[in-house]
Amino acid sequence: MSFWEKLLNAIGNTAGNALSAVVEAIRTVFEGDPETRRKVAFSVAIIALSAKMAKADGIVSEKEVEAFREIFEFPADQAKNVARLYNLARQDVAGYEAYAERLSSLCVTCAANCPVLEDVLDGLFHIAKADGLVHEKELNFLRHIAEIFQMSETRFEQIAARHVFSGGDPYKVLGVSPSDDFLTIRRRYHGLVSEHHPDRLISRGVPKEFHVIANERMAALNAAYAAIEKERRAA
């Protein structure tokens, strides 16, 4: 029996309190296996937050579900179990805060603005914009998640700029100011490229499916730097 099956058997079929039931099931079903418990907690948290993210604007589109599948890979024979858990989380009336807190607690060794949690937030933005627009309710949802992750407002705005303001303010994407000299901006850009390179995800233990997010992030950073470089040369 897979850990998905064990977990769902412990939850039952009640959707109304699915998320709280999942938290309790993770704690009890895998009590003697801390490594599996951590893996399951992380995976389920991503599933639950993705489901909640997709519903934040009141509509779950097929494009948002497809976007979820792009960043969360699972064995083909477990598709029904994952879908069931996703649907339970989507039907639940509340509880996403508990999952955000669980994710945050898994990163106790990280300093502020944990890169793993930033990866998760990028994944949620990926889903939010899948239907072509990040709605205000979705943005508020993401902002609250960032607060639970203890992410600074500046960092959140920088992440949001990569997704919401595509083609907008390249300085915000890089987290620099128009008053900064180009050398400072270039150093910042190279630092971000090094920090967010897809190979870094592997070293952080981030699942390979999140590399889609890393590639999007790199494209946004490159486009922002190119725009600033072109502007400065024209001046």
Side-chain angles (χ1 to χ4, degrees):
M1 183 182 292
S2 72
F3 63 70
W4 298 110
E5 292 168 309
K6 289 181 181 178
L7 187 63
L8 286 165
N9 285 341
I11 297 168
N13 294 311
T14 303
N17 63 346
L19 297 185
S20 59
V22 169
V23 172
E24 180 61 20
I26 290 171
R27 188 183 69 80
T28 57
V29 173
F30 305 103
E31 186 173 8
D33 188 352
E35 185 60 31
T36 299
R37 185 172 67 240
R38 183 183 184 282
K39 177 182 178 181
V40 172
F42 190 86
S43 298
V44 171
I46 292 173
I47 291 173
L49 289 177
S50 297
K52 291 297 187 182
M53 177 71 261
K55 196 179 179 183
D57 61 352
I59 301 172
V60 181
S61 71
E62 183 58 33
K63 288 183 178 180
E64 288 174 328
V65 175
E66 289 175 3
F68 163 76
R69 290 171 178 157
E70 288 176 357
I71 64 170
F72 191 85
E73 189 175 317
F74 45 83
D77 62 355
Q78 294 302 310
K80 289 184 179 180
N81 289 323
V82 173
R84 181 181 162 199
L85 186 57
Y86 184 86
N87 287 328
L88 282 172
R90 190 168 60 179
Q91 294 171 44
D92 206 347
V93 295
Y96 73 87
E97 295 93 345
Y99 277 86
E101 289 167 2
R102 179 171 290 274
L103 270 179
S104 185
S105 70
L106 291 175
C107 297
V108 292
T109 59
C110 293
N113 300 320
C114 172
V116 175
L117 296 179
E118 183 170 339
D119 293 333
V120 173
L121 199 61
D122 261 331
L124 295 176
F125 264 111
H126 177 78
I127 294 169
K129 68 181 182 182
D131 57 2
L133 176 68
V134 178
H135 299 273
E136 184 178 355
K137 289 182 178 179
E138 291 174 322
L139 191 60
N140 290 337
F141 175 95
L142 289 164
R143 190 181 301 277
H144 190 200
I145 293 293
E147 290 172 357
I148 295 173
F149 286 173
Q150 300 182 31
M151 195 169 288
S152 70
E153 178 68 17
T154 299
R155 190 69 161 188
F156 175 77
E157 292 296 337
Q158 184 181 347
I159 296 168
R162 296 199 294 257
H163 299 278
V164 183
F165 308 113
S166 178
D169 188 349
Y171 293 95
K172 184 172 286 188
V173 173
L174 296 184
V176 295
S177 169
S179 62
D180 291 334
D181 60 68
F182 189 67
L183 179 59
T184 298
I185 293 172
R186 185 169 60 190
R187 286 173 177 168
R188 172 65 174 167
Y189 164 70
H190 286 305
L192 288 171
V193 167
S194 176
E195 177 185 350
H196 296 300
H197 193 278
D199 289 346
R200 284 292 185 94
L201 270 71
I202 297 175
S203 66
R204 294 202 292 264
V206 174
K208 63 181 181 180
E209 54 268 24
F210 266 81
H211 289 195
V212 172
I213 305 302
N215 291 333
E216 284 187 354
R217 184 186 297 159
M218 291 295 291
L221 295 175
N222 290 338
Y225 180 74
I228 293 173
E229 185 177 37
K230 181 178 180 180
E231 175 192 291
R232 294 298 175 98
R233 283 180 176 175

